[in-house]
Amino acid sequence: MESGKCPIVKMVEIEFASPDPLDYAVHYETPAQMKYQTYKPHKDLESLVKFYWTLEVPFDPENQKQKIVPDGCIEMAFNFGEQIKKYTSETNFILQPNAMVMGQRTKSFDILPVGDIDTFAICFYPIGFANFVKKSLEDLVDKEIPISELFGQTAAIELEQQIAQAVGTQQRIEMIESFLFKILNAKNTISNIVQSTVDALIKTNGTTAINVLLKDDISKRRQLERHFKKQIGISPKQLGKALRLQTTLNLLLNKKSETLTDIAYEREYFDQNHFIKDFKDLVGVTPTEFLNNEHMALTALFYK
């Protein structure tokens, strides 16, 4: 790859301080310093890969669980630090694979590292990942699948070793892109009805009603639902909710709107109650509870 093909898009390095008395200011109390960066993909992959990202968080015994929320994307992640707990209930957890694909999410979940976090990951557009696998993406929803189950044991071990031994993020990007180009399957084309629906949802930040797109054609709706779950993993309605949540979090965390009513209006919710219900369904707490919540520090980092 030529130099400069994968420039840094964003670099964030923040320390969250104790809450101050401002009602709307968003602060998080955690001693850990979090470093998050995103990088652009190669131009020949930019329609499929949204970006690459890295996250470094030094371990602190006072660290709190952090909530991960749906974002409408599938991600492939490599963890070079200690393992990370994913909570399946308030007290029960499983350890996430060190090299995994995280499917579409329909609900939030909590994680907690047992040591330092050092992660390199690929974030795919909603239509992106289906071009690299034959498996129905519905089978990946709300799961973390070891890459060996998707790409085979030999290829997975080789890739994981290459990524781990790479010198710096740029070399890791070059290696993962070489792998993606190798497995890119031109025959795994996204159906036109799925492509046009995803494009419309992204363009309107998830606010487009599916019946408007399909003009109430029941036969098309059934066809769309079937193809969508196979090639995206979730339904058009679920994807729309996840995409709308992303722009809502951006408004909420960056104080681009003064009140919850303003946010509901800007994001085209029917009313404030509809907004709060959808938010709680996906995040697990209300927008008010989300603010100044130490369990949301990691999520807040992704939107700064």
Side-chain angles (χ1 to χ4, degrees):
M1 184 182 304
E2 297 177 7
S3 176
K5 289 295 185 180
C6 299
I8 294 176
V9 179
K10 178 172 66 172
M11 162 64 173
V12 180
E13 180 175 345
I14 59 178
E15 287 198 31
F16 296 103
S18 301
D20 65 23
L22 294 176
D23 290 336
Y24 205 108
V26 182
H27 300 283
Y28 297 91
E29 185 177 7
T30 173
Q33 187 178 69
M34 302 179 180
K35 295 181 181 179
Y36 172 65
Q37 298 182 19
T38 60
Y39 304 79
K40 288 182 179 180
H42 188 282
K43 61 182 179 62
D44 293 335
L45 288 172
E46 61 186 9
S47 65
L48 305 176
V49 175
K50 190 174 183 179
F51 55 80
Y52 306 104
W53 58 266
T54 59
L55 177 67
E56 296 179 23
V57 184
F59 178 69
D60 188 305
E62 300 300 319
N63 281 348
Q64 300 292 314
K65 294 178 186 176
Q66 293 297 312
K67 193 169 289 294
I68 304 299
V69 302
D71 61 4
C73 298
I74 288 177
E75 296 183 304
M76 185 190 303
F78 298 86
N79 177 34
F80 309 107
E82 300 297 325
Q83 285 190 284
I84 298 173
K85 298 177 182 178
K86 174 188 177 180
Y87 281 82
T88 55
S89 68
E90 187 63 30
T91 56
N92 296 326
F93 64 86
I94 58 174
L95 293 175
Q96 291 184 324
N98 284 329
M100 63 182 176
V101 171
M102 299 178 284
Q104 289 279 5
R105 296 184 288 275
T106 62
K107 55 191 175 184
S108 63
F109 61 89
D110 293 325
I111 63 169
L112 182 65
V114 299
D116 293 345
I117 290 179
D118 181 8
T119 299
F120 168 73
I122 305 95
C123 179
F124 295 89
Y125 280 110
I127 60 168
F129 194 65
N131 294 275
F132 301 99
V133 293
K134 297 178 181 179
K135 190 180 185 69
S136 171
L137 298 191
E138 188 176 10
D139 297 336
L140 276 60
V141 174
D142 291 321
K143 296 177 182 176
E144 294 79 44
I145 307 294
I147 63 172
S148 58
E149 291 188 20
L150 295 173
F151 307 117
Q153 192 75 25
T154 301
I157 291 174
E158 182 180 356
L159 177 63
E160 190 173 357
Q161 289 177 342
Q162 287 178 344
I163 298 294
Q165 294 168 5
V167 180
T169 301
Q170 183 63 39
Q171 193 174 86
R172 285 174 176 169
I173 291 173
E174 293 172 0
M175 288 176 173
I176 197 64
E177 289 191 335
S178 175
F179 176 77
L180 291 176
F181 280 126
K182 188 183 301 183
I183 65 172
L184 181 62
N185 188 349
K187 296 180 180 178
N188 285 9
T189 54
I190 303 296
S191 63
N192 291 334
I193 191 171
V194 171
Q195 178 76 64
S196 61
T197 302
V198 171
D199 289 345
L201 289 172
I202 291 176
K203 184 177 181 180
T204 61
N205 295 314
T207 61
T208 301
I210 303 304
N211 61 338
V212 172
L213 288 174
L214 302 181
K215 300 178 181 179
D216 291 323
D217 188 323
I218 300 300
S219 62
K220 282 187 177 180
R221 190 178 188 98
R222 289 172 180 167
Q223 179 189 19
L224 175 64
E225 293 279 351
R226 185 173 65 254
H227 287 295
F228 219 86
K229 287 189 175 181
K230 180 179 179 181
Q231 298 180 332
I232 306 298
I234 52 180
S235 70
K237 183 177 181 180
Q238 288 171 318
L239 179 62
K241 282 187 174 183
L243 294 175
R244 187 188 282 194
L245 175 65
Q246 300 312 297
T247 54
T248 299
L249 288 173
N250 187 275
L251 290 172
L252 194 62
L253 290 166
N254 294 290
K255 201 182 177 182
K256 295 180 179 178
S257 295
E258 291 300 321
T259 68
L260 295 183
T261 301
D262 290 338
I263 292 177
Y265 176 76
E266 289 185 48
R267 293 295 95 229
E268 299 183 35
Y269 288 96
F270 181 73
D271 55 25
Q272 184 174 319
N273 288 336
H274 177 207
F275 161 51
I276 293 174
K277 181 182 182 301
D278 270 13
F279 192 95
K280 189 171 183 179
D281 285 346
L282 289 176
V283 180
V285 296
T286 67
T288 302
E289 292 168 336
F290 177 86
L291 296 171
N292 296 318
N293 187 325
E294 61 187 359
H295 300 291
M296 306 297 174
L298 186 57
T299 289
L301 181 65
F302 296 146
Y303 296 93
K304 290 294 184 182

